[in-house]
């Protein structure tokens, strides 16, 4: 007796046979076995594990942030490819092509707005994702390297934003990128070479726009796709997300599991749909800005960096460029990269804010940073910039060495106080330092956005 | 001896005598792939390198005629958008051609005739009429271009900006 499968069943018509050759298992499986077959038989879904730990599905663990980021990246690719059909990457035609996207191309305004809002939201969402990963201790073994991949992803998204920012070739774009390439010039050693490669040394050259365009629409999307695959594979290798627990509880290795289809899938799809709906609404009501065409002879007043670089811009107002461009970002980068590799006395994975002591210390660190950062800004703006003793000092000392010494002294003092006075362990010290750093960045960004007026003078916005 | 043991023995001897050869081959492969990578990096680097004509120090002089000397009143600054510089005529009648590019991060500095200073709109650096820094963050004075005066006409060589130190005294050209 030969076994008849549905595939060679002569009773099934041609269309049905074709359908089944593409989707071998039923599309709406009703049994547990059927669901597993469906999962394995589907190219996209078979990258997922068959089951996940039930506790990791709780919304307040991940806040859906990683999934939101992935959705936004996909939307960027979809809208970006559409824009690429109309956009012309030459200094002469770029501006008018973007203008025609906005006023002539059907749905052009919507597509450009979507690309604009997704780009900005992506930065916010990634910062929040990073905070949640940090505060749930999800950087401990075995997720150490995934934290690093995440950092590279974040840098890549910032690079995408920066390179995209130039493309409309309006005044905002032109001057933000002029400032950026000039910043590159201060990197010791390779700076001048980089600046030459990006522009023609003193101004944006004829090769700058094609360079940024190729980066933005080819190199960066490929990098992002590869890195995201790597990121997701690592999550799976680590056995899924961290399992949330109370400070006293041990790590639960045998947490009960539930099938991915439908439990995880339905959450992911609904998050993706909600995100898409939100950015659609934003894009219908709020237009992406397009200022006057680029004019190398006239810097608008004030020149503002995009909001995610406003903190860096604020640093540039106070410090010697080498310190603001190299020393501080490098120190912050080294700190972020080494976070998973300190010799912690114990893993705090799954515990929000490491411990209850960690929570109070984090709040203290945030408050301290919230007081010290504006104080330093005011001291520099009101005293150091005008005081007679400071005018004669060499800029390297006044804007470089002295502030660096001050910042190092404050950081060392803070660490010392935490360890000796409040008995913090390494987990909590690192956390407080991270919190102080993030708070300082937030304060600098807010000052840069709201408290700077014409000629970048400090103003009171209310 | 059982067959298993014989097999084991032969395997150990094979690995032992292979060790030297293996490490040699491994080293060879590593070196070759390193070379290949370096070659590709070199190719990409050369491809992206800016073409020679721009910014090389042996550029020929490119002189602009700014006009007759008596067109410029003392203590005034005249902009030359085509040449991307300002011609400053100092109080004592000396001439100084200043780059319009802020030495901090490259914004174009406008001249404010009332306050008699260049105020950068980007990060609030301020320069005086000689291009010296009055207020940081700019780390050095505005670059200048070489000025010469021939037949009572001011000529400016805009091919090469000349860097000056932070508090450098500008070299001023007189009639
Ligand atoms: C385009 C950028 C990114 C995408 C699409 C992405 C996506 C995701 C997703 C979907 C998850 C799983 C669930 C969740 O937390 O929502 C996740 C987890 C994780 N992400 Fe990201 N992420 C990105 C950037 C980052 C960044 C910037 C970091 C940190 C520096 C990071 C570090 C991690 C870590 C360590 C986990 C594991 C968390 C755990 O096991 O609980 N990722 N990411
Ligand atoms: C994470 C990924 C991406 C980010 C963060 C990003 C960001 C940006 C930003 C900020 C702009 C400026 C838009 C504006 O003027 O408001 C832009 C423009 C543009 N992007 Fe992207 N982008 C991404 C991916 C892509 C991809 C994958 C493509 C195409 C393959 C693309 C093609 C374009 C084009 C053609 C423009 C110029 C049109 C315009 O300015 O509106 N982008 N992008
Ligand atoms: S570019 Fe002029 S102050 Fe920064």
């Amino acid at each position: 007796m030969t076994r008849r499968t549905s595939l060679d069943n002569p009773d099934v018509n041609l269309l049905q046979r074709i359908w089944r050759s593409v989707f071998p298992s039923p599309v709406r499986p009703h049994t547990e076995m059927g669901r597993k077959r469906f999962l394995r038989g589907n190219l996209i879904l078979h990258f997922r594990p068959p089951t996940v730990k039930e506790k990791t599905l709780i919304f307040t663990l991940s806040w859906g942030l990683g999934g939101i980021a992935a959705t936004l990246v996909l939307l960027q690719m979809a809208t970006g490819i559409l824009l690429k059909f109309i956009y012309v990457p030459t200094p002469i035609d770029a501006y008018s092509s973007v203008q025609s996207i906005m006023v002539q191309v059907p749905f052009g305004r919507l597509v450009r707005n979507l690309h604009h809002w997704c780009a900005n939201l992506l930065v916010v969402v990634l910062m929040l994702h990073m905070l949640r990963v940090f505060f749930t201790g999800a950087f401990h073994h075995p997720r150490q390297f995934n934290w690093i991949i995440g950092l590279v992803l974040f840098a890549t998204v910032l690079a995408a934003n920066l390179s995209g920012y130039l493309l409309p070739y309006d005044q905002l774009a032109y001057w933000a990128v002029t400032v950026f390439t000039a910043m590159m010039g201060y990197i010791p050693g390779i700076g001048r070479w980089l600046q030459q490669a990006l522009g023609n040394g003193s101004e944006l050259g004829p090769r700058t726009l094609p360079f940024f365009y190729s980066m933005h629409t080819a190199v960066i999307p490929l990098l992002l796709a590869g890195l995201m695959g790597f990121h997701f594979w690592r999550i799976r290798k680590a056995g899924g997300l961290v399992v949330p627990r109370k400070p006293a509880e041990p790590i639960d290795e045998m947490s009960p599991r539930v099938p991915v289809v439908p439990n995880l899938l339905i959450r992911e799809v609904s998050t993706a749909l909600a995100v898409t709906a939100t950015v659609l609404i934003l894009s219908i009501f709020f237009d992406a800005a397009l200022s006057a065409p680029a004019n190398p002879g006239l810097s608008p007043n004030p020149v503002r960096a995009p909001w995610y670089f406003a903190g860096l811009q604020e640093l540039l107002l106070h410090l010697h460029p080498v310190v603001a461009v190299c020393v501080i970002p490098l120190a912050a980068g080294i700190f972020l990269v080494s976070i998973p590799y300190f010799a912690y006395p114990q893993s705090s994975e799954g515990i929000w804010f490491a411990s209850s002591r960690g929570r109070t210390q984090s709040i203290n660190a945030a408050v301290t940073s919230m007081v010290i950062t504006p104080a330093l800004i005011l001291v520099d703006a009101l005293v150091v910039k005008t005081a007679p003793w400071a005018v004669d000092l060499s800029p390297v000392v006044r804007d470089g060495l002295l502030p660096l010494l001050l910042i190092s002294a404050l950081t060392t003092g803070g660490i010392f106080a935490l360890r000796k006075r409040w008995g913090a362990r390494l987990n909590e010290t690192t956390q407080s330092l991270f919190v102080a750093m993030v708070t300082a960045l937030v304060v600098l960004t807010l000052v840069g956005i709201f408290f700077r007026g014409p000629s970048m003078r400090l103003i009171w916005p209310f | 001896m059982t067959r298993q043991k014989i097999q084991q023995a032969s395997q150990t001897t094979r690995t032992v005598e292979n060790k030297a050869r293996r490490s040699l081959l491994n080293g060879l492969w590593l070196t070759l792939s390193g070379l290949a990578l370096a070659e590709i990096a070199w190719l990409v680097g050369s491809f992206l390198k800016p073409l020679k004509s721009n910014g090389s120090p042996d550029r020929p002089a490119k002189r602009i005629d700014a006009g007759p000397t008596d067109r410029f009143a003392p203590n005034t600054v005249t902009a030359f958008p085509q040449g991307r510089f300002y011609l400053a005529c100092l109080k004592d009648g000396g001439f100084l051609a200043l780059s319009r590019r802020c030495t901090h991060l490259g914004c174009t500095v406008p001249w404010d005739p009332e306050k008699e200073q260049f105020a950068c709109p980007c990060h609030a650096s301020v320069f005086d009429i000689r291009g010296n820094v009055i207020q940081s963050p700019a780390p050095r004075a505005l670059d200048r271009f070489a000025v010469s005066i021939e037949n009572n006409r001011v000529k400016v060589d805009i091919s090469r900006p000349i860097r000056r130190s932070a508090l450098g005294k500008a070299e001023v050209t007189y009639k």
Side-chain angles (χ1 to χ4, degrees):
Chain A
M1 199 188 103
T2 54
R3 228 175 96 219
R4 277 199 165 167
T5 69
S6 58
L7 271 180
D8 46 33
N9 185 345
D11 301 340
V12 187
N13 70 30
L14 178 67
L15 279 182
Q16 278 172 320
R17 269 181 283 153
I18 294 178
W19 174 267
R20 287 197 183 152
S21 76
V22 184
F23 301 103
S25 62
V27 173
R28 294 185 55 210
H30 294 291
T31 60
E32 207 58 18
M33 262 319 274
R35 290 208 181 105
K36 268 190 197 147
R37 280 247 308 276
F38 175 65
L39 189 83
R40 242 176 286 133
N42 181 301
L43 173 68
I44 295 173
L45 291 181
H46 102 280
F47 292 118
R48 326 303 311 275
T51 58
V52 286
K53 295 176 187 152
E54 190 171 13
K55 281 190 184 161
T56 60
L57 290 176
I58 303 169
F59 182 71
T60 51
L61 170 67
S62 72
W63 301 87
L65 290 163
I68 296 176
T71 312
L72 289 172
V73 171
L74 291 182
L75 281 171
Q76 282 306 71
M77 295 189 174
T79 50
I81 288 171
L82 280 179
L83 289 170
K84 211 162 141 56
F85 279 101
I86 315 275
Y87 177 79
V88 185
T90 63
I92 295 167
D93 295 323
Y95 183 80
S96 54
S97 73
V98 174
Q99 227 172 10
S100 87
I101 290 175
M102 287 302 266
V103 297
Q104 282 178 342
V105 180
F107 295 109
R109 180 186 290 263
L110 181 71
V111 172
R112 175 162 185 255
N113 289 352
L114 273 173
H115 201 73
H116 175 89
W117 289 115
C118 287
N120 284 282
L121 257 164
L122 190 56
V123 181
V124 182
V125 167
L126 283 188
M127 286 175 176
L128 295 177
H129 177 59
M130 200 162 143
L131 289 181
R132 106 81 184 139
V133 166
F134 180 83
F135 288 126
T136 53
F139 54 83
H140 288 286
H141 179 84
R143 299 178 179 80
Q144 290 161 310
F145 191 61
N146 217 11
W147 169 264
I148 308 292
I149 300 171
L151 290 178
V152 180
L153 267 168
F154 188 60
T156 314
V157 166
L158 281 187
N161 262 305
L162 185 89
S163 55
Y165 203 78
L166 175 68
L167 300 185
Y169 226 66
D170 58 353
Q171 277 284 71
L172 271 179
Y174 185 89
W175 290 103
V177 175
T178 302
V179 167
F180 174 76
T181 49
M183 274 163 60
M184 296 289 106
Y186 283 103
I187 299 176
I190 56 167
R192 300 233 114 210
W193 180 87
L194 259 180
Q195 204 181 355
Q196 289 287 337
L198 287 178
N200 71 6
S202 58
E203 287 184 357
L204 298 191
R207 293 174 50 138
T208 315
L209 187 56
F211 184 89
F212 275 63
Y213 180 68
S214 308
M215 280 292 174
H216 188 82
T217 61
V219 180
I220 289 172
L222 283 177
L223 256 175
L224 269 180
L227 284 167
M228 273 168 56
F230 200 7
H231 196 56
F232 298 157
W233 180 69
R234 277 288 181 151
I235 295 172
R236 193 169 163 184
K237 285 282 139 182
L241 305 193
V242 289
V243 179
R245 60 184 168 124
K246 301 243 156 49
E249 286 170 8
I251 298 174
D252 182 5
E253 300 287 354
M254 303 305 294
S255 195
R257 306 181 74 96
V258 291
V260 161
V261 185
N263 296 287
L264 179 57
L265 193 64
I266 200 154
R267 284 169 168 85
E268 288 174 338
V269 172
S270 46
T271 314
L273 288 177
V275 171
T276 314
T278 311
V279 289
L280 266 171
I281 292 173
L282 262 178
S283 305
I284 288 169
F285 291 109
F286 301 99
D287 279 347
L290 186 64
S291 60
N295 175 359
L298 179 76
S299 305
N301 189 352
V303 170
R304 282 181 193 281
W307 66 266
Y308 36 84
F309 287 133
L312 185 59
Q313 169 175 286
E314 185 62 30
L315 278 184
L316 281 166
L317 285 166
H318 299 287
L319 301 176
H320 191 274
V322 175
V323 174
V325 173
C326 297
V327 181
I328 289 183
L330 195 69
I334 290 175
F335 175 63
L336 287 177
V337 167
S338 43
I339 279 176
Y341 298 106
F342 292 129
Y344 296 104
Q346 70 204 72
S347 166
S348 57
E349 78 167 71
I351 307 174
W352 276 97
F353 305 106
S355 62
S356 51
R357 187 168 48 183
R359 192 172 307 208
T360 14
Q361 284 173 355
S362 298
I363 294 173
N364 290 345
V367 172
T368 316
S369 180
M370 231 181 277
V371 174
I372 289 184
T373 317
L376 288 179
I377 292 176
L378 283 177
V379 166
D380 184 57
L382 303 180
V383 182
V384 181
K385 282 260 191 289
T386 50
W389 58 265
V391 172
D392 296 330
L393 280 179
S394 132
V396 179
V397 176
R398 182 192 47 205
D399 304 330
L401 288 177
L402 284 183
L404 263 187
L405 278 177
L406 186 62
I407 296 172
S408 323
L410 283 171
T411 317
T412 325
I415 295 175
F416 195 76
L418 274 168
R419 307 210 76 151
K420 291 279 137 46
R421 183 79 204 288
W422 289 291
R425 286 168 312 163
L426 190 53
N427 298 50
E428 291 136 3
T429 319
T430 311
Q431 181 169 275
S432 300
L433 213 58
F434 181 78
V435 168
M437 208 172 92
V438 171
T439 316
L441 182 65
V442 171
V443 172
L444 286 170
T445 306
L446 290 179
V447 172
I449 295 174
F450 296 110
F451 293 81
R452 290 280 172 188
S455 294
M456 298 311 273
R457 270 186 286 274
L458 280 175
I459 51 155
W460 193 251
F462 314 110
Chain B
M1 261 209 272
T2 63
R3 243 168 77 194
Q4 211 185 356
K5 271 195 182 150
I6 295 172
Q7 228 170 29
Q8 263 175 6
S10 75
Q11 253 167 17
T12 42
T13 51
R14 206 183 299 155
T15 46
V16 167
E17 65 181 34
N18 272 354
K19 228 172 208 166
R21 209 187 309 164
R22 251 202 218 165
S23 71
L24 179 74
L25 282 176
N26 280 348
L28 212 65
W29 276 120
L30 270 180
T31 321
L32 279 179
S33 20
L35 272 177
L37 276 184
E39 228 172 324
I40 292 170
W42 179 63
L43 188 149
V44 173
S46 331
F47 189 91
L48 294 179
K49 209 163 72 184
L51 298 178
K52 258 282 161 314
S53 64
N54 282 335
S56 56
D58 45 300
R59 238 184 323 187
K62 188 173 164 200
R63 299 216 306 185
I64 279 195
D65 186 350
T69 46
D70 44 13
R71 226 186 81 194
F72 306 98
N75 210 20
T76 57
V77 169
T78 316
F80 287 82
Q82 265 81 43
R84 307 179 169 186
F85 68 91
Y86 289 105
L87 190 65
C89 183
L90 306 182
K91 280 205 180 79
D92 57 6
F95 285 101
L96 184 61
L98 295 170
S99 163
R100 67 180 186 183
R101 194 170 180 272
C102 180
T103 51
H104 181 227
L105 291 170
C107 288
T108 296
V109 283
W111 169 250
D112 181 345
E114 265 140 50
K115 292 193 189 147
E116 298 192 351
Q117 62 190 25
F118 298 96
C120 182
C122 290
H123 313 99
S125 289
V126 181
F127 307 86
D128 67 8
I129 191 170
R130 289 166 173 264
N132 286 331
V133 181
I134 308 180
Q135 187 176 310
S136 57
R140 60 192 158 84
L142 291 177
D143 291 349
R144 68 182 185 87
F145 296 109
V147 176
S148 54
I149 292 173
E150 291 163 19
N151 307 326
N152 275 336
R153 295 186 76 83
V154 185
K155 307 256 166 108
V156 180
D157 174 7
I158 59 163
S159 62
R160 215 170 309 140
I162 302 165
R163 278 172 164 248
R164 300 187 289 164
S165 68
L167 300 165
K169 292 283 163 279
E171 295 161 39
V172 183
T173 311
Y174 291 95
K175 260 191 271 198

